[in-house]
């Protein structure tokens, strides 16, 4: 079988106009897949340099370099009511750089004359304001601090030339992702006494776009990788698999449409003045359902989304949560919302996808706050009621992270996982949950503003711990 690299596969070479923070499966099967297609169709001429946003990652970096950043995307699903399977060789990524070990090359890239865009997916935990982050480190620790330092260096190099400002497109699944990153960049600049000229340049010359991304990406198809490699004819160890369905909503001024015209290449990219209402529907229904389902289904022995929805209790639980708690607090016509939700949840039954629950569980703490907490909060503030099904999902997540679920190790912020596990007290579940809810840095919002939150979660967690997930779910009467 052939190796996959520049010597064995045909590829085009593009100028690096995009700096991408993140090398994960989603960006490669969504953003880079679209860019490669638009490049091949002549709609764009954009190469991508990938920056690893956190230390480590030497294994994936080595594979990237060995394959000259080439890889295949396999998409399966339904189009026009017919099954579709599509395999694409993606050649949009030109190089990968680790700024912790290759800072000078990283600097060359972000100061390049040709650079126009920055794209990021540093996960929901990535866009956080870290007090005291050292902006003069090479590089700074957090993503917002990296962006502040990067833009400051660029401002200095080009003497404040507004034409050298950058357009920043965030793909993290948090509300107002681009706007929030902009806020934190300006906050870091002010806190560190940076020049007023620089702060004004960020405001005037740089554009931060709020976006919403939607495609289920299951990642590296390890279960049938031998057959896939045989099919594509290459020893591709970056191959990534996902559903055919995709949508990308980008909100902000329309200048981005000219710089990044993916819609002209036939992709489902929607340019809007504001994406908030569209985002609420998608994140709360699809992502909120995923995040709520994971800790419940894992404790019932399910491995994949398809396994979970084949379990009648889980299927009923998620459908009931969306119907009773999610949709009633989203603005819009209820009939249209019901239709939108039906189309979203239908994707959970996709027979082609093997979407592992353990993979979805990555960074579940920040995901739950971004995706499910707004539903709990709105049910209380708008309707004066308890979102019991959503609250149950938080209790299930705490039990999953407690260390009492055999075979599961959380892949999340280490200090938070340690706190949850080290404070676990089976004899005082209420005290344990109260400590988690009141943790000073685990949450961006105050979960205690919903007065019954800790009490309800404690009650559900105690039921799960005492009776097991199956009986606790039955007791919930979803």
């Amino acid at each position: 079988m052939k190796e996959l690299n520049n010597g064995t596969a045909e590829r085009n070479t593009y100028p690096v106009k995009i700096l991408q923070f993140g090398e994960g499966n989603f960006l490669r099967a969504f953003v880079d897949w679209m860019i490669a297609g638009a490049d091949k169709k002549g709609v764009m001429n954009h190469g991508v340099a990938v920056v690893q946003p956190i230390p480590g990652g030497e294994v994936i970096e080595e594979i990237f370099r060995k394959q000259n950043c080439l890889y295949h995307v396999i998409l399966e699903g339904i189009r026009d009511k017919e099954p579709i399977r599509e395999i694409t060789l993606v050649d949009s990524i030109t190089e990968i750089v680790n700024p912790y070990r290759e800072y000078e090359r990283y600097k060359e890239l972000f100061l390049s004359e040709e650079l126009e865009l920055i794209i990021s997916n540093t996960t929901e935990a990535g866009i956080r304001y870290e007090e005291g982050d050292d902006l003069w480190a090479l590089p700074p620790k957090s993503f917002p601090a990296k962006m502040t330092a990067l833009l400051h260096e660029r401002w200095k190099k080009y003497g404040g030339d507004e034409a050298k400002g950058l357009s920043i497109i965030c793909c993290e699944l948090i509300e107002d992702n681009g706007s929030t990153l902009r806020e934190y960049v300006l906050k870091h600049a002010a806190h560190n006494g940076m020049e007023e000229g620089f702060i004004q340049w960020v405001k005037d010359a740089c554009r931060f776009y709020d976006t919403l991304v939607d495609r289920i990406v299951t990642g590296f198809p390890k279960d049938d990788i031998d057959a896939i490699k045989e099919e594509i004819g290459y020893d591709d160890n970056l191959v990534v698999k996902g559903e055919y369905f995709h949508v990308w909503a980008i909100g902000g001024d329309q200048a981005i449409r000219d710089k990044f015209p993916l819609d002209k290449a036939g992709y489902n990219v929607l340019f809007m003045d504001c994406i908030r209402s569209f985002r609420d529907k998608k994140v709360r229904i699809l992502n909120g359902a995923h995040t709520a389902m994971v800790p419940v289904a894992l404790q019932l022995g399910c491995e994949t989304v398809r396994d979970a929805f084949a379990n009648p209790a889980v299927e009923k639980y998620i459908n009931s949560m969306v119907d009773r708690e999610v949709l009633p607090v989203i603005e819009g016509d209820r009939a249209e919302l019901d239709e939108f939700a039906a189309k979203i949840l239908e994707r959970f039954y996709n027979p082609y996808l093997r979407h592992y629950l353990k993979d979805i569980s990555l960074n579940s703490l920040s995901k739950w706050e971004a995706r499910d907490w707004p539903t709990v909060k709105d049910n209380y503030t708008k309707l004066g009621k308890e979102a019991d099904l959503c609250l149950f999902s938080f209790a299930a997540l705490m039990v999953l992270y407690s260390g009492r679920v055999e075979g599961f190790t959380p892949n999340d912020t280490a200090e938070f996982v340690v706190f949850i596990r080290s404070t676990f007290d089976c004899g005082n579940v209420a005290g344990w949950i109260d400590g988690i809810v009141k943790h000073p840095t685990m949450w961006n919002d105050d979960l205690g503003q919903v007065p019954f939150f800790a009490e309800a979660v404690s009650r559900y967690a105690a039921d799960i711990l005492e009776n097991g997930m199956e009986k606790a779910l039955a007791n919930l009467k979803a």
Side-chain angles (χ1 to χ4, degrees):
M1 186 177 298
K2 291 185 293 186
E3 293 185 355
L4 179 59
N5 54 49
N6 289 344
T8 61
E10 290 187 18
R11 75 171 304 163
N12 296 301
T13 303
Y14 307 102
V16 176
K17 298 183 181 181
I18 300 172
L19 197 62
Q20 176 178 296
F21 285 82
E23 77 281 28
N25 291 321
F26 181 82
L27 283 176
R28 290 190 284 115
F30 185 79
V31 174
D32 302 319
W33 167 79
M34 287 193 212
I35 294 168
D39 284 343
K40 289 171 185 174
K41 293 174 183 178
V43 172
M44 289 171 34
N45 185 38
H46 291 50
V48 179
V50 167
V51 178
Q52 294 181 278
I54 58 175
E58 287 83 4
V59 174
I60 190 72
E61 180 186 348
E62 183 179 344
I63 299 172
F64 264 89
R65 296 190 193 283
K66 184 177 180 181
Q67 297 187 186
N68 296 127
C69 301
L70 292 166
Y71 64 95
H72 292 82
V73 171
I74 301 174
L75 303 176
E76 295 176 321
I78 305 295
R79 183 176 65 181
D80 300 328
K81 298 182 180 180
E82 295 294 330
I84 182 172
R85 188 169 190 271
E86 177 184 285
I87 301 178
T88 303
L89 175 65
V90 175
D91 64 355
S92 51
I93 299 176
T94 63
E95 65 179 292
I96 186 169
V97 60
N98 185 319
Y100 295 88
R101 291 187 288 101
E102 304 167 288
Y103 183 81
E104 288 306 315
R105 177 54 185 157
Y106 166 61
K107 185 175 179 179
E108 286 177 18
L109 289 167
F110 71 68
L111 292 180
S112 166
E113 290 261 7
E114 296 177 321
L115 189 66
E116 297 179 359
L117 298 155
I118 288 179
I119 295 174
S120 71
N121 187 6
T122 56
T123 78
E124 286 88 340
I127 300 182
R128 296 176 70 97
Y129 185 78
E130 299 287 347
E131 193 76 43
D133 202 339
D134 182 6
L135 264 63
W136 317 116
L138 303 178
K141 179 182 176 183
S142 69
F143 177 55
K146 283 185 179 73
M147 283 300 306
T148 309
L150 178 161
L151 292 174
H152 189 251
E153 288 287 330
R154 194 169 175 87
W155 171 76
K156 286 195 301 182
K157 176 177 173 63
Y158 293 106
D161 183 354
E162 290 197 8
K164 297 303 180 184
L166 299 174
S167 296
I168 297 108
I169 304 174
C170 297
C171 299
E172 291 83 356
L173 280 173
I174 64 169
E175 281 193 53
D176 307 323
N177 44 22
S179 301
T180 301
L181 179 61
R182 180 181 187 272
E183 174 192 341
Y184 292 164
V185 165
L186 294 173
K187 189 174 179 179
H188 275 301
H191 181 76
N192 285 272
M194 288 179 163
E195 301 89 338
E196 283 298 321
F198 166 64
I199 292 173
Q200 198 59 47
W201 180 80
V202 172
K203 293 178 179 178
D204 295 341
C206 298
R207 297 287 182 267
F208 294 77
Y209 294 92
D210 295 326
T211 81
L212 179 77
V213 295
D214 192 359
R215 162 172 279 170
I216 295 172
V217 174
T218 55
F220 186 74
K222 55 182 179 292
D223 290 345
D224 48 1
I225 188 59
D226 291 339
I228 286 173
K229 287 181 177 181
E230 193 69 34
E231 179 183 8
I232 61 180
Y234 289 100
D235 183 23
D236 184 354
N237 292 297
L238 290 176
V239 63
V240 59
K241 200 171 186 180
E243 67 174 339
Y244 183 80
F245 176 93
H246 69 280
V247 64
W248 194 358
I250 301 177
D253 66 73
Q254 293 301 296
I256 193 63
R257 192 169 196 167
D258 295 326
K259 283 190 174 182
F260 202 50
L262 294 173
D263 57 330
K264 293 180 181 178
Y267 297 113
N268 192 19
V269 179
L270 311 174
F271 295 94
M272 307 174 177
D273 293 332
C274 179
I275 66 163
R276 188 163 295 176
S277 60
F278 188 85
R279 179 197 178 281
D280 281 349
K281 290 193 297 183
K282 184 267 177 181
V283 171
R284 294 197 189 196
I285 296 170
L286 175 63
N287 302 103
H290 264 153
T291 299
M293 177 177 64
V294 164
V296 174
L298 279 173
Q299 292 179 67
L300 289 171
C302 302
E303 291 188 353
T304 67
V305 171
R306 192 176 174 192
D307 291 342
F309 254 49
N311 182 309
V314 177
E315 180 188 36
K316 183 181 178 183
Y317 166 66
I318 292 300
N319 279 297
S320 296
M321 187 187 81
V322 170
D323 180 60
R324 286 167 25 189
E325 298 176 357
V326 178
L327 297 184
V329 292
I330 297 178
E331 293 182 8
D333 179 77
R334 181 56 195 256
E336 291 179 1
L337 287 171
D338 285 338
E339 183 180 357
F340 182 86
K343 290 179 179 178
I344 288 287
L345 294 176
E346 182 181 41
R347 294 159 63 193
F348 284 43
Y349 299 94
N350 188 337
Y352 302 103
L353 292 184
R354 196 175 290 120
H355 200 183
Y356 286 95
L357 299 173
K358 284 187 178 180
D359 293 340
I360 302 173
S361 74
L362 172 70
N363 293 322
S364 281
L365 295 174
S366 57
K367 283 179 178 176
W368 192 93
E369 184 178 11
R371 301 170 177 186
D372 295 294
W373 162 246
T375 294
V376 172
K377 186 176 175 180
D378 282 354
N379 270 265
Y380 171 65
T381 58
K382 294 181 179 180
L383 304 179
K385 64 185 284 286
E386 179 178 314
D388 57 330
L389 304 177
C390 226
L391 288 165
F392 183 87
S393 73
F394 186 84
L397 179 59
M398 294 305 100
V399 174
L400 184 68
Y401 273 37
S402 70
R404 292 301 183 96
V405 178
E406 188 176 343
F408 180 81
T409 302
N411 189 354
D412 213 318
T413 304
E415 64 181 286
F416 300 154
V417 174
V418 169
F419 180 85
I420 292 169
R421 291 190 161 199
S422 64
T423 60
F424 175 75
D425 185 351
C426 197
N428 184 15
V429 174
W432 173 56
I433 293 296
D434 191 59
I436 293 169
V437 170
K438 292 178 179 176
H439 192 282
T441 58
M442 196 177 298
W443 316 109
N444 288 313
D445 204 359
D446 175 17
L447 305 188
Q449 65 188 278
V450 173
F452 49 76
F453 185 91
E455 186 278 326
V457 170
S458 300
R459 186 173 67 251
Y460 294 135
D463 193 11
I464 296 168
L465 287 163
E466 182 177 351
N467 299 307
M469 180 56 70
E470 185 174 2
K471 189 171 181 180
L473 193 57
N475 291 341
L476 189 62
K477 298 179 181 178

